[in-house]
Amino acid sequence: LIGMHATVLDDKQRLVTNLDKTAFTVFENNQLQTIKSFRHEDIPVALGIVIDNSGSMREKRDKVNKAAINLVRASNPNDQVFVVNFNDEYYLDQDFTANINKLKEALEKVESRGGTALYDAIVASADHLKKNAKLDKKVLFVVTDGEDNASRESLEQAIARLQQENGPTVYAIGLLGEEKQRRARRALQEIAARTGGVAFLPRTVDEVDEISSSVAHDIRNQYTIGYQPTTPKSVPGYRTIRVEAKARGYGKLTVRTRTGYYPGQERGTSGGQ
């Protein structure tokens, strides 16, 4: 089965949490698919917290760290969480744990220096989830304040890696300030949208805590939908996914989920293809 996690919003952008299987329609490459499994419950998540540690983040880290810990506290108690800090390199400062003190300690390993290798850090974190997560549902929570200027991976390569089968949903916070950061905004929005997540672009770091609460709420109120593709897995190439929802008593419903995937690549491909 191809599994995905879907958030449903009404026309006022409020979460809709009371739909059943019959409300949903799934298309792969514009072909109607049969939904084989459907759950709507708060299931544990393998969560990677991926935080920019470049020099410009030094003043913001206290508030960002507090928000990251509050995200964990507001999440399912059975979640497994790891912490990656990155500048021009990425560091797995805490592997999977549910221990808040260990996570705090890892977040406080602040060596604010160097460049911003955002795409490399995201790809490495997605790989860590793929190889080591024991839970099916996977999320990356990414915070940065600048444009990527140090990665070996390009934005397109990073998105392709995230879109491997059963890849993570990315929630991103861009503390980007000035308008000149347009490219960085677009990159975060693209990464989030393709994986079914959200990019937040707050005006100040003071909004980050509230955003982390809304991310936790979003993750805990998703529908988990599985379908068996009509196209065999042996057929290569990218496949688009579209999910629609309709229900009596609601106007236009918007379904946020990943926009597609590369089949059969969740089982340890090497390299970036």
Side-chain angles (χ1 to χ4, degrees), residues 67-269:
I69 289 298
N70 286 342
L71 167 70
V72 176
R73 285 204 171 107
S75 298
N76 187 304
N78 296 317
D79 286 357
Q80 288 291 302
V81 187
F82 67 89
V83 172
V84 165
N85 291 300
F86 71 93
N87 35 58
D88 43 15
E89 298 286 338
Y90 48 85
Y91 306 91
L92 178 64
D93 281 318
Q94 175 58 56
D95 210 340
F96 286 109
T97 184
N99 183 315
I100 293 278
N101 289 329
K102 285 183 176 176
L103 293 168
K104 265 188 184 163
E105 216 173 283
L107 287 164
E108 281 159 12
K109 286 185 184 167
V110 178
E111 295 172 35
S112 304
R113 59 189 169 77
T116 303
L118 172 67
Y119 308 148
D120 285 358
I122 287 176
V123 166
S125 301
D127 281 353
H128 188 61
L129 279 172
K130 185 175 74 175
K131 289 172 185 151
N132 301 297
K134 294 182 171 65
L135 299 166
D136 285 340
K137 189 171 180 178
K138 301 175 182 71
V139 170
L140 292 178
F141 176 71
V142 180
V143 185
T144 183
D145 74 341
E147 193 173 301
D148 189 305
N149 58 15
S151 284
R152 290 176 292 277
E153 303 272 355
S154 67
L155 174 61
E156 290 70 28
Q157 287 169 323
I159 288 172
R161 296 284 286 275
L162 289 166
Q163 291 194 307
Q164 291 179 8
E165 198 174 306
N166 198 24
T169 304
V170 179
Y171 293 87
I173 299 180
L175 300 166
L176 301 173
E178 296 305 309
E179 188 55 34
K180 64 177 186 237
Q181 302 266 27
R182 191 175 295 148
R183 200 172 132 214
R185 288 165 197 247
R186 203 176 67 242
L188 292 179
Q189 287 167 329
E190 189 80 1
I191 286 166
R194 298 273 200 100
T195 61
V198 188
F200 300 89
L201 302 166
R203 279 192 291 275
T204 73
V205 71
D206 296 327
E207 296 172 53
V208 171
D209 201 23
E210 195 182 325
I211 290 169
S212 75
S213 297
S214 88
V215 168
H217 189 56
D218 198 278
I219 292 167
R220 298 187 81 165
N221 286 281
Q222 290 176 323
Y223 300 88
T224 302
I225 301 168
Y227 70 95
Q228 198 154 11
T230 49
T231 307
K233 210 175 227 185
S234 54
V235 176
Y238 182 71
R239 303 182 185 189
T240 60
I241 292 176
R242 188 172 87 254
V243 183
E244 295 174 358
K246 289 189 178 123
R248 189 175 293 159
Y250 290 101
K252 181 173 168 48
L253 294 176
T254 304
V255 182
R256 180 171 14 90
T257 191
R258 57 196 172 123
T259 56
Y261 71 100
Y262 292 93
Q265 297 188 350
E266 80 281 30
R267 293 181 191 85
T269 53

Side-chain angles (χ1 to χ4, degrees), residues 7-44:
T7 301
V8 182
L9 304 167
D10 68 10
D11 50 9
K12 293 189 171 65
Q13 296 301 294
R14 296 174 302 205
L15 284 175
V16 177
T17 59
N18 59 350
L19 303 180
D20 61 19
K21 179 179 166 184
T22 59
F24 291 88
T25 317
V26 176
F27 299 89
E28 181 179 290
N29 288 349
N30 291 322
Q31 292 183 314
L32 183 64
Q33 307 292 313
T34 303
I35 295 173
K36 300 279 191 181
S37 68
F38 180 86
R39 291 166 75 186
H40 182 228
E41 57 197 72
D42 176 15
I43 58 175

